Amino acid sequence: VKKSTILGCIIKQTRDAVKRRRGGSMREGVERITDLSSLRVLSNPDRMRVLALLRNQGEQTVGEICEAIGLAPGSASYHLRRLAEVGLAEKLDEKHADKRQSWWQATSAATLIDGGAKDDTSRDVQVGLRQATARSYAEAYSRYLSACAEIGEEWMRCEVGFDSVLRMTPEEARSMGDELSAVVDRWCKRCANRSEADGRKVLVTIQGYPWIP
């Protein structure tokens, strides 16, 4: 089982993601997804990015979403409706927001997805989700590299990145994942409730899968 604030299957929740930007608390908790229709909805990099923005930045208007990630208003509204259809986002009641704006929020802070596949159809959907996930991670890293001049060289020097090919059993891989998850959880607690003055938001991804040369 994998937990994510970004796309629904790989990365761990950061605690400051559950704070709503404009006061109050963003919806906390974890949404468990098992149905194929919801997985199909998630399998879109732009939709993943919209969901990530809502989860990590708090409630947003359609206009703010468009400005933040460069989507056309019609596209942003479409992705929001699709997320709402499977319960991952919701439109705020008018009493909670400016009536002249269309405000949205995520319905949970993270998503849990069972990594198994019961049949060929389920496997195809799971593979499609992971392919969209891979694109989302690659695009996020590319955006960071494009902004390096503005972000500063200090962040480039401290960027975290390593890989290793290990020979191990599924049980050992699962155990390693649990250990790494515990490390990230400790940092989640350490970084909880920080403001913009305390540093940047950093995307942390952990992946391990059979290597094919």
Side-chain angles (χ1 to χ4, degrees), residues 136-194:
S136 293
Y137 284 153
E139 290 170 1
Y141 189 59
S142 179
R143 290 193 297 272
Y144 152 69
L145 293 176
S146 297
C148 278
E150 292 78 23
I151 293 175
E153 188 172 333
E154 182 180 3
W155 276 107
M156 293 189 69
R157 289 198 300 267
C158 69
E159 178 185 335
V160 179
F162 57 88
D163 63 75
S164 184
V165 177
L166 311 174
R167 188 174 297 280
M168 59 198 331
T169 66
E171 291 74 18
E172 289 173 328
R174 189 175 296 110
S175 178
M176 182 181 67
D178 290 341
E179 291 179 19
L180 293 173
S181 178
V183 171
V184 174
D185 281 342
R186 288 199 300 272
W187 278 94
C188 286
K189 293 175 183 177
R190 178 172 176 171
C191 299
N193 303 321
R194 290 184 175 181

Side-chain angles (χ1 to χ4, degrees), residues 1-14 30-31 33 39 42 48 51 55 109-116 126-138 177-178 180-181 184-185 203-209:
V1 176
K2 309 295 183 182
K3 185 166 72 171
S4 173
T5 59
I6 302 284
L7 6 122
C9 72
I10 304 296
I11 69 170
K12 293 290 291 182
Q13 163 71 352
T14 53
V30 176
E31 180 77 15
I33 295 181
L39 295 180
L42 272 177
M48 289 177 175
L51 181 59
R55 283 180 168 170
T111 300
L112 275 174
I113 293 179
D114 187 347
Q126 290 273 1
V127 169
L129 178 62
R130 281 158 172 74
Q131 288 172 336
T133 297
R135 283 183 55 195
S136 293
Y137 284 153
D178 290 341
L180 293 173
S181 178
V184 174
D185 281 342
L203 173 61
V204 179
T205 65
I206 298 175
Q207 291 180 283
Y209 45 84

Side-chain angles (χ1 to χ4, degrees), residues 1 21 49 82 84 95 97 123 129 143 158 169 173 197-198:
V1 176
R21 187 178 56 165
R49 197 173 175 195
R82 294 289 284 145
K95 64 181 180 180
R123 184 176 297 104
L129 178 62
R143 290 193 297 272
C158 69
T169 66
D198 298 317

Side-chain angles (χ1 to χ4, degrees), residues 10-86:
I10 304 296
I11 69 170
K12 293 290 291 182
Q13 163 71 352
T14 53
R15 296 300 178 88
D16 65 339
V18 300
K19 291 288 184 179
R20 190 185 280 175
R21 187 178 56 165
R22 292 180 177 81
S25 296
M26 194 167 95
R27 293 294 183 85
E28 297 189 24
V30 176
E31 180 77 15
R32 189 182 187 95
I33 295 181
T34 58
D35 63 290
L36 297 184
S37 60
S38 295
L39 295 180
R40 289 190 179 98
V41 167
L42 272 177
S43 300
N44 179 288
D46 286 337
R47 205 165 296 144
M48 289 177 175
R49 197 173 175 195
V50 170
L51 181 59
L53 187 68
L54 295 177
R55 283 180 168 170
N56 290 283
Q57 295 291 90
E59 60 189 40
Q60 303 279 306
T61 66
V62 172
E64 287 175 329
I65 292 171
C66 294
E67 182 178 358
I69 62 180
L71 286 177
S75 296
S77 296
Y78 171 72
H79 290 310
L80 288 165
R81 289 195 302 271
R82 294 289 284 145
L83 290 169
E85 288 171 4
V86 295

